[in-house]
Amino acid sequence: MASSSSMLSREQFLCPICLDVFTRPVSTPCGHNFCMACLTSYWDNAPECQCPICKETFRRRPDLKVNTFISELVSQLTALDLTDRHIWSADLEQVNSGLAVMCDVCADTQKEAVKSCLECLTSYCDVHLEPHHRASGLKRHTLLEPMSSLEDKVCKEHDKFLVLFCRDDSVLLCEACATSRHLRHDIVPMQRAYEEMKDVLGYDEDKVELMIEERRQKVEIMKQSMKQSKAEAKEVMENGAQDLTALVVEIQKSQAALVRAIEQKQRTAEEHADGFISDMEGEVKELQVTGAKMRELKQTKDQFRFLQSYKNASLLPQTADLSAYNFNTHLEMQHIHRSVEKSLSHLRVLLHKMNTDIKQFSDNPSNTSMLRYMQQFEVNVVLDPETAHPLLILSDDGKQVRYGMGSGLWGKPILNPKMFTEHLAVLGRRGFMSRKFYFEVYMGQKTEWCLGVAQASVQRRRGICRSPGCGLWAIWFLEDKFETFISPDVTVYVGKVKRVGVFVDYDGGQISFYDVQTATLIWSFTECVFTEELYPYFNPCDNEYGANLDPMIIVPVSPVQ
């Protein structure tokens, strides 16, 4: 029986470049052997075509062909080395866990297998294994510890072991498959693929744990928010009911005062009118008597008597001055009526606004109310050209930035310490500290951009490390999805957004990004700790994901309805 320690040595079949067992081995004219992919990559990146070992230079690049003899030896070595390298670790764990592999030949009562034959693809008990110890042809077979499902580990087309992995197609291959249908693909030994994918799986597992932790934190924040919301809702209901009741009482008081004032005014007017009417009636009677005397005197024919009597008759009775009397009480009533109507009209407007707000609060999603609240803190953001990367173009009013040839400073020394030289970024002129602020940016049809806020000391000469503590809180849009700057490759929102609202609560340690058109929350950074001024951060990005020359435009707030 062959073993992994006889005939072939693993070190004889190691590629000098990758230091792993040959994958599709090729030979150079000088006689040295390499993996085809390793040698091809080496020559692609070298100024001249030469052997990596002896440095012999070839005028023409050799046409590499797989060395089938070495390839077959590698296959045999791999087959002999299977148990030592634990490629079938799942089966070994099955053995170690006490789950026995049964003999494939036993017809009646199956016995436990003691060996598995790689050539026969069969597991044998001690009785049925005996021919492998006796027959000369079977003695050359490779016997291993009992394994189940050996046929699954052999290529059904070529009857060779699956010892390679194609990264392009994500399939297991034998040497014949790799040489025939996967000649130009990225092929690696199964062990290396196993270790690499385990590393990837470990990275994804860490990412999953991070996502779980983020969601647990969000759940806790949501619970705290609901607890606070419940308390505030109770307070608003109590205070609202109390204030509205007090308003009703005040209106009732005003109503009673109005009634009393009008009634008192009417009584006074009526008393005044009654006195005036009584006086006027008395004066009318006196004037009637005087008029009668004048008519009688007028009929006197005796001139002597007329003249003597006229002196007394010309004295008119004492009467009131009518101009001193006011007859516009109804005008005063009209004035108070208009004043009351005007006040009630203002009150109705306020009540209508309050009812509208209540209805919107009741009918609209909570994000709408929250966005409307945030928009109260709008600030005027103007871009600072001294911080702009040389390849960025800013508008004269400092409200737009786009990727382009910029001011062409790359041929001159860059002396401005405020300027970004690695990221295609620019900051706002004004920094904010210990307050709330909000601004909106129109993105249009851009395929990539990055937007957020940065602390004053954010790195500008070198790349910003994409991890917590880098001093930049931003979202990054790539074609149709969003990720945060500090968590690469973790999608936090899917979809395209044309208008973005950015809200910062400095003291509350929160930064939120909204899709203004749909009043939808894109992402929030919470429980942040700020120790410096925060500046609006804009990065229009380049054309890596297609035409992306549209500008980022700082626009006035568009109130949500």
Side-chain angles (χ1 to χ4, degrees):
M1 179 184 72
S3 68
S4 59
S5 60
S6 64
M7 298 175 63
L8 301 174
S9 171
R10 176 182 174 83
E11 285 70 21
Q12 294 175 277
F13 298 94
L14 296 182
C15 171
I17 296 178
C18 68
L19 302 180
D20 205 342
V21 175
F22 289 124
T23 302
R24 291 191 294 175
V26 294
S27 300
T28 61
C30 58
H32 294 105
N33 302 310
F34 306 90
C35 298
M36 176 180 283
C38 295
L39 186 57
T40 300
S41 176
Y42 179 84
W43 281 348
D44 288 342
N45 296 299
E48 54 185 353
C49 187
Q50 62 177 205
C51 174
I53 301 297
C54 67
K55 303 303 179 181
E56 180 178 343
T57 301
F58 311 110
R59 289 187 176 182
R60 295 180 59 185
R61 183 165 175 166
D63 184 15
L64 300 176
K65 302 291 184 181
V66 174
N67 189 318
T68 56
F69 176 73
I70 298 178
S71 180
E72 185 62 32
L73 291 178
V74 170
S75 297
Q76 294 180 24
L77 174 68
T78 305
L80 293 174
D81 202 33
L82 288 177
T83 52
D84 293 338
R85 295 178 63 185
H86 303 289
I87 293 180
W88 314 123
S89 58
D91 295 297
L92 294 178
E93 289 177 3
Q94 187 179 42
V95 172
N96 294 334
S97 63
L99 300 176
V101 177
M102 308 308 293
C103 176
D104 294 327
V105 183
C106 291
D108 299 328
T109 302
Q110 277 191 319
K111 294 183 179 180
E112 184 175 337
V114 294
K115 292 290 181 180
S116 294
C117 177
L118 291 181
E119 283 73 19
C120 300
L121 300 180
T122 305
S123 296
Y124 299 101
C125 63
D126 52 357
V127 175
H128 293 109
L129 183 64
E130 192 272 336
H132 279 74
H133 299 307
R134 176 171 43 83
S136 59
L138 296 178
K139 286 182 179 180
R140 291 192 295 270
H141 286 195
T142 304
L143 299 179
L144 304 174
E145 292 300 316
M147 301 178 188
S148 62
S149 304
L150 278 174
E151 63 276 7
D152 294 338
K153 301 173 178 63
V154 174
C155 176
K156 293 178 174 55
E157 181 179 355
H158 302 106
D159 292 328
K160 293 179 179 290
F161 285 103
L162 302 172
V163 293
L164 301 174
F165 182 77
C166 176
R167 287 171 171 165
D168 294 334
D169 297 335
S170 297
V171 292
L172 288 167
L173 309 172
C174 69
E175 285 284 353
C177 291
T179 304
S180 59
R181 292 193 300 272
H182 299 261
L183 187 61
R184 299 187 180 279
H185 288 190
D186 187 4
I187 308 296
V188 295
M190 183 169 59
Q191 181 70 17
R192 188 196 303 178
Y194 168 75
E195 292 170 355
E196 290 176 351
M197 295 183 74
K198 277 194 70 175
D199 292 339
V200 172
L201 187 62
Y203 173 77
D204 290 341
E205 185 180 7
D206 293 340
K207 188 184 294 185
V208 168
E209 290 298 324
L210 176 61
M211 294 171 68
I212 291 173
E213 182 60 28
E214 288 177 343
R215 280 149 182 77
R216 284 176 176 169
Q217 291 178 2
K218 290 295 182 183
V219 168
E220 186 60 31
I221 292 171
M222 180 61 73
K223 289 180 179 178
Q224 293 298 325
S225 177
M226 288 300 99
K227 182 178 179 181
Q228 182 178 357
S229 176
K230 185 176 181 180
E232 290 183 355
K234 182 179 179 181
E235 182 180 356
V236 170
M237 287 188 292
E238 291 177 351
N239 293 342
Q242 182 179 349
D243 293 341
L244 288 174
T245 300
L247 179 60
V248 171
V249 171
E250 289 296 324
I251 292 175
Q252 290 174 341
K253 287 182 180 180
S254 297
Q255 179 187 14
L258 176 64
V259 171
R260 286 196 302 271
I262 293 177
E263 289 178 344
Q264 179 63 36
K265 192 71 175 178
Q266 183 62 26
R267 282 196 300 270
T268 302
E270 288 177 356
E271 291 174 357
H272 178 73
D274 289 344
F276 175 77
I277 292 171
S278 178
D279 291 343
M280 291 302 102
E281 287 177 346
E283 290 184 359
V284 167
K285 289 180 180 180
E286 291 181 6
L287 290 171
Q288 286 176 343
V289 171
T290 301
K293 288 180 179 182
M294 288 180 176
R295 285 192 297 272
E296 182 181 352
L297 180 60
K298 187 178 180 181
Q299 294 176 357
T300 301
K301 304 295 185 179
D302 186 346
Q303 296 179 358
F304 179 79
R305 184 182 175 188
F306 176 84
L307 293 174
Q308 283 185 330
S309 300
Y310 182 76
K311 180 180 180 180
N312 295 327
S314 63
L315 296 176
L316 297 175
Q318 185 70 30
T319 58
D321 182 6
L322 294 180
S323 63
Y325 287 92
N326 183 6
F327 300 100
N328 60 355
T329 302
H330 67 288
L331 296 178
E332 294 180 351
M333 290 298 179
Q334 291 177 4
H335 173 72
I336 191 66
H337 177 66
R338 286 194 295 270
S339 177
V340 171
E341 276 193 334
K342 185 177 181 180
S343 298
L344 288 176
S345 177
H346 289 320
L347 182 58
R348 287 191 186 96
V349 170
L350 294 176
L351 287 173
H352 177 73
K353 185 178 184 306
M354 181 179 70
N355 291 331
T356 300
D357 290 343
I358 292 173
K359 187 176 186 304
Q360 288 180 340
F361 175 78
S362 175
D363 295 344
N364 292 348
S366 58
N367 279 348
T368 302
S369 302
M370 181 60 69
L371 182 56
R372 189 182 298 113
Y373 163 77
M374 293 176 177
Q375 288 179 331
Q376 300 178 79
F377 301 96
E378 179 186 9
V379 294
N380 181 31
V381 175
V382 179
L383 301 176
D384 184 359
E386 292 189 354
T387 65
H389 187 283
L391 292 181
L392 295 183
I393 299 176
L394 275 60
S395 61
D396 293 338
D397 61 358
K399 292 292 185 177
Q400 301 185 28
V401 57
R402 66 181 178 86
Y403 171 69
M405 292 308 295
S407 56
L409 296 178
W410 288 120
K412 304 176 183 179
I414 299 174
L415 302 178
N416 187 351
K418 297 181 179 180
M419 179 185 295
F420 285 94
T421 58
E422 183 72 19
H423 290 260
L424 294 169
V426 60
L427 299 180
R429 287 182 178 176
R430 178 184 175 191
F432 301 91
M433 195 168 187
S434 298
R435 60 166 295 182
K436 299 180 177 73
F437 64 94
Y438 175 91
F439 59 95
E440 291 184 4
V441 183
Y442 181 76
M443 305 301 180
Q445 299 300 321
K446 291 185 67 62
T447 57
E448 183 185 10
W449 48 264
C450 187
L451 175 68
V453 294
Q455 64 187 19
S457 62
V458 68
Q459 179 59 248
R460 307 188 192 192
R461 281 290 184 268
R462 300 186 302 275
I464 304 173
C465 179
R466 297 188 65 178
S467 61
C470 66
L472 175 60
W473 296 265
I475 54 173
W476 200 322
F477 174 73
L478 302 129
E479 294 188 287
D480 61 352
K481 63 181 181 295
F482 288 84
E483 61 187 46
T484 63
F485 183 83
I486 61 175
S487 297
D489 303 322
V490 179
T491 300
V492 297
Y493 186 82
V494 176
K496 194 161 187 175
V497 176
K498 290 186 176 181
R499 193 183 188 106
V500 181
V502 183
F503 173 75
V504 178
D505 182 355
Y506 192 102
D507 294 331
Q510 178 178 341
I511 303 171
S512 299
F513 300 85
Y514 275 80
D515 178 350
V516 177
Q517 290 180 312
T518 61
T520 303
L521 177 65
I522 300 173
W523 179 256
S524 279
F525 294 97
T526 57
E527 299 182 1
C528 304
V529 178
F530 307 123
T531 57
E532 304 177 28
E533 280 189 316
L534 298 180
Y535 290 80
Y537 172 92
F538 302 80
N539 186 334
C541 300
D542 54 20
N543 293 328
E544 180 180 356
Y545 293 92
N548 192 37
L549 296 181
D550 287 350
M552 300 172 74
I553 307 174
I554 304 167
V555 293
V557 163
S558 175
V560 291
Q561 302 299 323

